[in-house]
Amino acid sequence: MRCTRYALGVSATAVSAAALALAGSGVAMAGTPPNVTGQTYSNAQSAITSAGFTPVVVSTVGDKLAWPNCIVIHTQQFTQQPAPNSNGSAVTQLQVSLNCNGGVASATQPGPSAASPEGQAAIAAAAAAAASSSSGSS
């Protein structure tokens, strides 16, 4: 009798573990989020969407640039659950924070430090723009 109870307890545990595994398999899982920090939001959006995530802007700093030209300074993966009693499915988001100050900080203009990755990207972009405008004016 004692062996029968033990065997029933083990099989009940196995059945409940299998049920939990099947119940959890309905959640959509996206892959690893792409590292888009330091990129413009327009480039980051493409990479985020290609990786199976939905890009969502959660915060911005500054207002000198339009969102497509802002620099991504932080990302956070988040799964948005569907509304209760709906037939919807979970949406895996990559939430981003943007720096829209533009350029590098100076005594009169806000922006990223010239020593930061964002500042280095802004300096490189300004140099590339200056080089293309000087080569195009010849």
Side-chain angles (χ1 to χ4, degrees):
M1 179 82 152
R2 184 171 183 205
C3 290
T4 305
R5 283 187 196 166
Y6 177 74
L8 288 175
V10 170
S11 60
T13 303
V15 168
S16 61
L20 284 174
L22 288 175
S25 66
V27 176
M29 298 294 286
T32 303
N35 181 5
V36 294
T37 303
Q39 295 182 20
T40 62
Y41 182 57
S42 62
N43 291 341
Q45 271 184 303
S46 299
I48 292 167
T49 304
S50 296
F53 293 85
T54 301
V56 177
V57 175
V58 293
S59 66
T60 60
V61 176
D63 62 355
K64 304 234 183 278
L65 301 173
W67 276 11
N69 301 320
C70 295
I71 304 296
V72 176
I73 56 175
H74 179 73
T75 62
Q76 175 75 38
Q77 184 176 340
F78 179 77
T79 301
Q80 179 69 44
Q81 297 299 326
N85 300 321
S86 73
N87 290 330
S89 59
V91 176
T92 305
Q93 302 175 343
L94 190 62
Q95 299 177 337
V96 297
S97 298
L98 303 176
N99 182 336
C100 298
N101 282 320
V104 179
S106 69
T108 58
Q109 177 178 329
S113 164
S116 70
E118 295 85 5
Q120 291 294 315
I123 291 169
S132 68
S133 68
S134 66
S135 65
S137 62
S138 300

